[in-house]
Amino acid sequence: MKNSSIKTLVRENILQLQPYISFRDQNEFNAPVMLDANESPFGECNRYPDSTQKRLKNRLAGLKKVSPSQIAIGNGSDELIDLIIKIFCEPKKDAILMMNPSFAMYGFYAAINENKVLKLDLDENFEIVKENFLKAAEDPSLKIFFLCSPNNPTGNSVEDIEFYLQNFNGIVVVDEAYIEFSGKKSSLELLDKYPNLIVLQTFSKAWGIAGARVGMAYASEEIISLINTVKAPYNVNVLSQELILKTLENENRLRENVNRILGEKTWLEQQFENVACISKVFQTDANFFLIKMENIDSVYTRMLEEEILASRRDPAIPGCIRINVGNREENEKLINLLKSI
Ligand SMILES: *Cc1c(COP(=O)(O)O)cnc(C)c1O
């Protein structure tokens, strides 16, 4: 889509909005006397967080080779999904397009805003059928296409992402929550080429910090400033910002985490071959497996009895359950149980 047309996609009232900028952010954050925000002068964690998340963005910018002005940080990437829909989709009028099956939260936030959700059914290998996409993309109410790669819950990556960027007349969000496990190239390198691209990443999965609730959107400066305009000023708390900065000090942390999980993934894959109740393990680039069971009802019942949680996808994906890679003790319990069925 054309460079100049991003503004035409944005809701009129959002374009008119003045961002809330705290007095502190217009001035020196660490002034010696701070009497501007009605905080307590006593105790720990008594100050509001930096609403611009400057240190975090500078650190991420270096790591990801983008400018800090191309990064928005959210209370998990979930918050960013919500904000992106709010910016581009007029309630009761505009629609989003998503893969089916895919991550439920796109549809959830669209529904809250009374935006229609159009679903693009994937083929039997959970791939997008391009002709079907081109047909669906003609709907003029569509503003956003959510691509999830690797896709949750199917695990496979989306091929040829540029095709969708070129052929969708709106914003294309590429949700890369599992990209670190995949060994595939991130779409971040396409940012300069496609002004309608937003890439989502998160600290919740490969980084192992889901509890901190921190996710990132990478996009053009224009889109990022819109996200910064609509976000709650103090959306990422002090403790989370500090924890992430501390985590990023250890340059090996991500690689070590990913290697451990991929090692366990390989072990599980080998074990699955000797489990009778499994009829198919789908190819996956993520830290989880979509598995088709011979008898999903009895498998799921037995798992609940043994207090082994997994995500049942049946009946939406017939016979299937999504199971993520755990530590060796968890994985062994899972395999022992499945073998006993
Ligand atoms: C887990 C997940 C996320 C992460 O959400 P956070 O709010 O950052 O924890 C985003 N997208 C997909 C597809 C996911 O599976």
Side-chain angles (χ1 to χ4, degrees), residues 74-81 102-106 109 147-153 175-178 200-205 209-211 213-216 288 322:
N75 189 336
S77 36
D78 259 49
E79 183 191 21
L80 297 165
I81 294 166
S102 189
F103 189 46
M105 301 314 284
Y106 314 133
Y109 289 115
L147 279 172
C148 189
S149 184
N151 187 30
N152 178 7
D175 187 341
E176 297 188 336
Y178 302 95
L200 295 180
Q201 294 187 354
T202 179
F203 279 96
S204 297
K205 306 288 162 50
I209 328 179
R213 310 300 305 120
V214 178
M216 287 72 65
F288 57 81
R322 192 197 67 202

Side-chain angles (χ1 to χ4, degrees), residues 159-215:
E159 304 297 333
D160 203 3
I161 285 186
E162 285 195 77
F163 174 83
Y164 305 102
L165 285 159
Q166 286 160 1
N167 290 289
F168 189 72
N169 206 15
I171 300 296
V172 176
V173 175
V174 181
D175 187 341
E176 297 188 336
Y178 302 95
I179 190 85
E180 297 92 340
F181 298 110
S182 75
K184 305 250 161 147
K185 270 197 178 165
S186 164
S187 290
L188 279 179
E189 62 176 31
L190 301 174
L191 275 185
D192 291 338
K193 199 167 163 194
Y194 296 100
N196 58 333
L197 170 63
I198 302 177
V199 177
L200 295 180
Q201 294 187 354
T202 179
F203 279 96
S204 297
K205 306 288 162 50
W207 283 96
I209 328 179
R213 310 300 305 120
V214 178

